[in-house]
Amino acid sequence: ACTACSLRSECRRPVPGVGPTPARVMFVGEFPGYNEDVMGRPYSGEAGRLLDSLLAYVDLPRDQVYVTNIVKCRPARGRALEDGESDTCMQTWWPEEMRAVKPEVVVTIGVAATRAFMGDVTMEEVERVPHDKGDYVVFPMRQPTSMIAEEKSEGKGRNAKIVGNNFMALARLLKNGPAVDTATYHYGYVASPQHLADYLSPGGAVGLDIEWNKDDSLASVQVSKAPGEGGFIPAEPEFLSQLDFFLQGC
């Protein structure tokens, strides 16, 4: 087992990636969770069952994707990684892993994994936006386990809708390829109804992409006024009433 850095002394065992090599799609998290540390397999336990269900939701069997983490050893008690702690894995294991997997799409799960590929970005700036890296496309998304935390805290289900939409967008990417020039693509969340009003107020043509849940309820609306830009609007009354007001004036 690897002993190249001090993180090995904090975990039960290193957790290598699992899946076919090569694989068209590679999912990359930050580091193993508690169950992964115990079982020696990435995305095991509750998180693994959730990932399996989301993959099945978009007809992407888990045995056809490669699943791994930036860091192979779980820090003690799941503490946050300190600056430089991912460097050893990135320098030692990542080149070999990427050569073996040869992914077309790298799905980065969470902000830490996303920053390992894209630098100092926020999830609001890059989530669900394909970024062309030459040999592969990076597709960032939030942690699907945010759904679990939301359910346990009796949240409104917003993360569940976003996570579901992320996987549907991934399925479209795999079917159709990147839809725009990602080098000039600006996409994010509409932070408030007032921000939506400000964006729409100059008038002009507006493109809408409406997504539905399996029970035919509204999941989300994405709005764009120009190629290469867009905003994700939560399916919440205060946002939708502002959008409806604008559309009635068109």
Side-chain angles (χ1 to χ4, degrees), residues 55-86:
L55 291 172
Y57 181 66
V58 296
D59 298 320
L60 186 62
R62 179 158 175 171
D63 63 7
Q64 294 182 14
V65 304
Y66 189 91
V67 183
T68 189
N69 289 291
I70 290 293
V71 171
K72 311 306 182 192
C73 292
R74 173 177 167 82
R77 298 175 296 281
R79 63 171 177 80
L81 290 173
E82 298 176 1
D83 290 345
E85 282 194 308
S86 64

Side-chain angles (χ1 to χ4, degrees), residues 90-121:
M90 289 296 290
Q91 295 166 6
T92 304
W93 299 113
W94 266 105
E96 179 180 336
E97 200 161 19
M98 290 294 286
R99 282 194 296 270
V101 180
K102 298 181 177 66
E104 294 179 22
V105 178
V106 175
V107 182
T108 54
I109 303 175
V111 67
T114 298
R115 286 175 175 170
F117 283 85
M118 298 185 60
D120 189 17
V121 298

Side-chain angles (χ1 to χ4, degrees), residues 200-206 225 241-250:
L200 296 174
S201 61
V206 173
K225 295 184 68 177
S241 61
Q242 184 64 57
L243 180 62
D244 184 59
F245 175 79
F246 170 79
L247 293 175
Q248 288 180 16
C250 293

Side-chain angles (χ1 to χ4, degrees), residues 137-164:
V137 171
V138 174
F139 186 84
M141 65 170 63
R142 68 186 56 197
Q143 283 280 0
T145 51
S146 62
M147 295 170 57
I148 300 172
E150 189 173 61
E151 289 174 2
K152 291 179 178 178
S153 65
E154 299 182 356
K156 294 183 178 180
R158 180 176 178 181
N159 278 323
K161 294 175 183 177
I162 294 172
V163 170

